[in-house]
């Protein structure tokens, strides 16, 4: 999309269903809810709070992230569609109970077409405020019978997914003695490092936040490097766990890793970068498959949260990735294309199985009473 905001043509191109603008003067709420596809079920996706350079950037982010959730939820085998919200604002300064409650009322107005949860810049406490106005929110506090913060579960899924990628690249899924370069040791990556350390992996870490680095150095004996140096360190696995688009023209020539497996969303700057790393023989674990543990966990709340059941489902990320690698080899396509095929095939098969007429209260026969 460009700054001319050709919204409808963009929505048509990628087949978006709905874009909702939410404004509340009293609380300062400015939010955009994007619903991409609800073939599989209601759209579930987190709420990101971020300071955007322009409104166009915020709309584009909401749209891009919502489509990612359609693919993530489909690939994870969830009966959920894809959506996402961005709230324009600084999470350190602009939060208030009024803002999240106003936002909750907008979600309620969508009557279940969209269900939210945490994303970058929002917390369990924010979800609890939203919950005061709507039930269409997950990742709320455990005292409400909920699953709480999804990050540790995302971390477990990334760890399992990294093992699957290691199996593909090295012939064994053991990470003992492997060196993992971790970019960003925040909520997800810290717990991921715990699993890796326990298995005997060597860790190289970086973060723009010095405290986060020090914590990892102290707890796991990790080696610290400067943020710009993480790409060219000697390692087996590069784990992007901070921002998106870090696999790009500048970073790819520096990479020594044989595997890319981390939690960040939208790791490839563009599709061509997925093609390049494929040609180089790097095993890339597609981001939305490996980082789906959080959404799998919060989705479990919709059936009455059961932690064991959720964790068992998160473990299937290992097999999903093996399937992606198999499709990649079978069809001779990069793994990001293979993952898209896996997700699209599932959406299409459900769409087709739903073409049959079903009696409900909203069709023409209901007028005959
Ligand atoms: N939290 C979840 O459950 C979840 C689920 C799916 C995907 N993700 C994705 O995983 C990533 C990490 O999520 P999180 O919840 O751990 O976030 P977080 O904010 O807790 O951690 C990110 C860390 O990256 C650091 N960072 C930012 N820019 C950096 C840079 N240029 N170089 C090095 N470090 C940098 C930050 O200082 C922070 O410590 C995000 O991309 C998020 O979208 C998270
Ligand atoms: C529903 C949330 C747990 C989603 C999470 N923020 C993600 O990007 O997968």
């Amino acid at each position: 999309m460009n700054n001319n905001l050709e919204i409808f043509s963009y929505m048509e191109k990628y087949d978006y269903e709905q874009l909702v603008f939410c404004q509340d003067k009293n609380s300062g709420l400015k939010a955009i809810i994007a619903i991409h596809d609800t073939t599989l079920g209601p759209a579930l996706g987190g709420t990101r709070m971020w300071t955007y350079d322009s409104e166009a950037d915020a709309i584009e982010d909401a749209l891009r992230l919502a489509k990612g959730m359609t693919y993530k939820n489909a690939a994870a085998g969830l009966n959920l569609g894809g959506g996402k919200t961005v709230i324009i604002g600084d999470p350190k300064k602009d939060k208030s109970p009024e803002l999240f409650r106003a936002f909750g009322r907008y979600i309620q107005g969508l009557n279940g077409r969209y269900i939210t949860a945490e994303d970058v810049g929002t917390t369990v406490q924010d979800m609890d405020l939203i919950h005061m106005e709507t039930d269409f929110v997950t990742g709320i506090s455990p005292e409400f019978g909920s699953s709480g913060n999804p990050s540790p579960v995302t971390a477990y899924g990334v760890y399992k997914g990294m093992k699957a990628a290691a199996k593909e690249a090295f012939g064994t899924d053991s990470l003992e003695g492997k060196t993992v370069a971790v970019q960003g040791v925040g909520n997800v990556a810290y717990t991921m490092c715990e699993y890796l350390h326990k298995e005997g992996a060597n860790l190289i870490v970086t973060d723009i936040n010095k405290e986060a680095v020090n914590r990892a150095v102290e707890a796991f004996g990790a080696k610290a490097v400067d943020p710009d140096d993480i790409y060219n360190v000697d390692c087996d696995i590069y784990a992007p766990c901070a921002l998106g688009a870090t696999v790009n023209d500048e970073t790819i020539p520096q990479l020594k890793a044989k595997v890319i497996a981390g939690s960040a969303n939208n790791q490839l700057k563009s599709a061509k970068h997925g093609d390049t790393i494929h040609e180089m023989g790097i095993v890339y674990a597609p981001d939305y498959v490996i980082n789906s543990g959080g959404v799998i966990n919060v989705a479990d709340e919709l059936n009455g949260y059961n932690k064991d059941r959720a964790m068992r489902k998160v473990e299937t990320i290992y097999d999903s990735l093996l399937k992606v690698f198999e499709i990649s080899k079978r069809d001779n396509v990069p793994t990001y294309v293979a993952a898209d095929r896996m997700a699209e095939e599932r959406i299409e098969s459900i769409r087709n199985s739903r073409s049959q007429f079903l009696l409900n209260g909203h069709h023409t026969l209901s007028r005959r009473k």
Side-chain angles (χ1 to χ4, degrees), residues 48 72 119-120 150-151 154 183-189 206-209 212 227 241-243 263-265 291 294:
R48 178 166 294 194
K72 188 180 298 196
D119 194 69
V120 176
S151 302
T154 301
Q183 181 179 42
V185 252
N187 287 322
V188 174
T206 194
D207 199 294
I208 50 171
N209 174 351
C241 299
L243 305 172
S263 74
N265 280 313
N291 75 14

Side-chain angles (χ1 to χ4, degrees), residues 45-46 69 72 84 117-119 150 265 291 294-295 298:
M69 290 310 298
K72 188 180 298 196
K84 201 97 173 188
E118 292 87 348
D119 194 69
N265 280 313
N291 75 14
V295 76
V298 299

Side-chain angles (χ1 to χ4, degrees), residues 224-235:
V225 296
D226 286 339
D228 288 343
D229 295 337
I230 195 71
Y231 303 106
N232 66 8
V233 294
D234 272 319
C235 66

Side-chain angles (χ1 to χ4, degrees), residues 97-108:
E98 299 74 39
L99 181 136
F100 285 105
R101 291 188 67 163
F103 175 50
R105 294 180 75 80
Y106 276 100
I107 296 178
Q108 183 65 19

Side-chain angles (χ1 to χ4, degrees), residues 150-163 187-193 195-196 263 290-294 297 307-308 310-318:
S151 302
V153 187
T154 301
Y156 183 59
V158 176
Y159 163 66
K160 286 283 171 185
M162 193 181 282
K163 287 174 79 64
N187 287 322
V188 174
Y190 185 85
T191 307
M192 180 192 80
C193 286
Y195 288 115
L196 294 174
S263 74
I290 194 168
N291 75 14
S292 60
N297 194 49
K307 181 152 190 189
D308 290 342
M311 294 306 261
R312 279 198 303 277
K313 176 97 179 123
V314 171
E315 284 174 2
T316 65
I317 290 173
Y318 183 99

Side-chain angles (χ1 to χ4, degrees), residues 6-273:
E6 288 151 346
I7 294 177
F8 278 112
S9 54
Y10 187 93
M11 287 177 75
E12 192 178 353
K13 183 169 172 195
Y14 297 106
D15 212 4
Y16 285 87
E17 292 179 11
Q18 194 174 4
L19 193 59
V20 184
F21 291 83
C22 316
Q23 188 282 133
D24 179 66
K25 206 159 76 176
N26 280 335
S27 64
L29 174 75
K30 286 187 180 57
I32 300 154
I33 303 171
I35 298 178
H36 177 244
D37 186 295
T38 58
T39 305
L40 296 179
L44 173 56
T47 293
R48 178 166 294 194
M49 188 164 186
W50 198 250
T51 48
Y52 289 93
D53 288 340
S54 68
E55 290 178 5
D57 283 358
I59 296 168
E60 187 169 7
D61 207 29
L63 288 166
R64 210 171 39 92
L65 290 162
K67 182 162 174 263
M69 290 310 298
T70 297
Y71 281 78
K72 188 180 298 196
N73 293 340
L78 300 172
N79 290 315
L80 292 163
K84 201 97 173 188
T85 298
V86 303
I87 295 179
I88 301 174
D90 183 340
K92 292 201 182 82
K93 292 198 301 226
D94 298 330
K95 286 186 180 182
S96 68
E98 299 74 39
L99 181 136
F100 285 105
R101 291 188 67 163
F103 175 50
R105 294 180 75 80
Y106 276 100
I107 296 178
Q108 183 65 19
L110 288 169
N111 201 25
R113 274 180 55 70
Y114 170 70
I115 303 165
T116 201
E118 292 87 348
D119 194 69
V120 176
T122 58
T123 62
V124 175
Q125 289 70 38
D126 303 332
M127 296 307 123
D128 286 348
L129 290 166
I130 293 170
H131 185 225
M132 290 179 180
E133 304 293 340
T134 182
D135 275 336
F136 303 122
V137 52
T138 55
I140 48 180
S141 291
E143 52 262 39
F144 298 112
S146 175
S147 65
N149 178 6
S151 302
V153 187
T154 301
Y156 183 59
V158 176
Y159 163 66
K160 286 283 171 185
M162 193 181 282
K163 287 174 79 64
K167 188 168 170 53
E168 179 66 12
F170 310 120
T172 166
D173 71 6
S174 169
L175 297 171
E176 190 179 357
K178 293 280 183 284
T179 300
V180 185
V182 182
Q183 181 179 42
V185 252
N187 287 322
V188 174
Y190 185 85
T191 307
M192 180 192 80
C193 286
E194 264 178 343
Y195 288 115
L196 294 174
H197 179 63
K198 210 164 160 194
E199 187 160 333
N202 308 308
L203 297 169
I204 301 175
V205 299
T206 194
D207 199 294
I208 50 171
N209 174 351
K210 276 269 163 281
E211 269 174 42
V213 170
N214 291 344
R215 260 194 341 149
V217 169
E218 273 167 37
F220 315 122
K223 180 181 165 202
V225 296
D226 286 339
D228 288 343
D229 295 337
I230 195 71
Y231 303 106
N232 66 8
V233 294
D234 272 319
C235 66
D236 301 293
I237 299 169
Y238 163 52
C241 299
L243 305 172
T246 62
V247 180
N248 58 44
D249 286 340
E250 287 74 48
T251 60
I252 291 173
Q254 302 179 51
L255 290 177
K256 294 185 179 142
K258 285 272 163 282
V259 168
I260 300 177
S263 74
N265 280 313
N266 302 321
Q267 292 170 24
L268 305 175
K269 183 159 187 199
S270 71
K272 77 166 188 187
H273 300 108

